[in-house]
Structure formats: C-alpha cells, structure tokens
Amino acid sequence: MLKVGDKLPPFEGLNQDGQTINSEKLIGKKLVIFFYPQANTPTCTVEACNLSDNYSKLEKAGFQLLGISGDSVKKQKNFHSKFAFPYDLIADESHEILEKFGVWQEKTTFGKTYMGIVRTTFIFDEKGICERVIEKVTSKTAAEQILEG
C-alpha cells in the first residue's frame, strides 16, 4: 500500500461523465483521494455524503477531492447524480489505479476470501507527496478525519 512520503502515482481514469482525469493535473493543490468498495452501497454512501456535506470546509482547508472505486462509469454517474456530489468519481474497472495505490487486496468476510477494495483515504500535499494515509476510515466522520490531520 502507498505510504507517507510516497509520490502520487501517475494514473488516468474516466470520471462519472466519461472525461479523462489525469493525476498530473491534480498536483498544485492539496488532494484527498478516497477509495471505496462500491457505489450506492450503504457504508460507501454514508462516507461519500459526509464528504459532500463537508465539502466547503474541506475546500476552505485547501483540499480537492476525488473518489475512486472499481465501478463502471455508468454506476459512478448514477451515484454522482443521485447525491449531486461536488467532486469527481473515477471508474476503475480494470483495477489499475486500485493496484497502484495498493488498495485492491485479499479480504475475508464470513470466512469467505475474495479480492476487493480496502476503504482507504490518501492525503497529498501540493507537490503530490503523500502526507497521510487513513486506513481506518469512519464513514460517518470521514471529513473530520481528514480535517483533524
């Protein structure tokens, strides 16, 4: 998994509108990238809505936000439209970005082992250097976790 001190890995992905988002264009402002398992599921919705509800506070603190999951552009569009999120969601069906960040991992639920996304938030400085990694994301207070750093 990407750790503090690591550089933002280069990546490109399609957002909810099918537009290409390039990581190089994100450098210059503080950046929060949050990885979530699946659009429109209860816990992911709580997290994304908490970040949306606190977007002005995060923006005031100088952060830009980006959400990434393994969902399709269509699913991201539906999720984005349903809740009117003020930030982009990237569809990473190939898991290329997920693997670069190290959040595509083996998970176990009810004794069943499978590959999935580990809910994680990465915070980068203006130069694209990772300042913090939040591995134990609390969906209801995701924005507070970012702001308390």
Side-chain angles (χ1 to χ4, degrees):
M1 185 179 294
L2 207 72
K3 51 194 184 312
V4 171
D6 287 347
K7 207 166 175 28
L8 178 67
F11 67 84
E12 268 189 8
L14 296 179
N15 74 359
Q16 69 282 345
D17 297 319
Q19 299 168 327
T20 300
I21 303 289
N22 185 313
S23 61
E24 289 174 23
K25 296 201 168 100
L26 301 172
I27 293 175
K29 262 182 102 176
K30 291 192 277 187
L31 173 65
V32 172
I33 299 180
F34 67 100
F35 289 90
Y36 57 98
Q38 195 175 350
N40 270 316
T41 54
T43 307
C44 296
T45 300
V46 167
E47 178 184 10
C49 287
N50 175 266
L51 293 170
S52 183
D53 292 346
N54 290 284
Y55 186 72
S56 60
K57 286 182 195 168
L58 292 161
E59 215 176 24
K60 203 176 274 181
F63 292 112
Q64 56 184 330
L65 263 71
L66 185 62
I68 303 177
S69 74
D71 292 301
S72 65
V73 170
K74 186 179 177 183
K75 282 185 178 176
Q76 297 290 38
K77 176 71 175 169
N78 177 286
F79 191 37
H80 194 273
S81 298
K82 186 175 180 181
F83 296 100
F85 295 133
Y87 49 78
D88 283 323
L89 300 177
I90 288 186
D92 186 24
E93 289 182 279
S94 69
H95 305 149
E96 191 180 316
I97 302 168
L98 303 172
E99 288 183 17
K100 282 185 178 190
F101 280 79
V103 297
W104 182 250
Q105 297 178 13
E106 194 172 272
K107 298 169 81 173
T108 305
T109 305
F110 304 117
K112 185 178 160 230
T113 301
Y114 61 97
M115 292 300 288
I117 298 171
V118 177
R119 184 183 314 280
T120 312
T121 300
F122 296 89
I123 302 169
F124 296 89
D125 68 12
E126 297 85 349
K127 294 184 178 119
I129 305 299
C130 185
E131 288 187 322
R132 279 177 60 217
V133 178
I134 303 171
E135 290 184 62
K136 299 225 183 296
V137 176
T138 307
S139 296
K140 290 178 184 163
T141 59
E144 287 172 43
Q145 285 183 291
I146 293 163
L147 292 166
E148 71 191 12

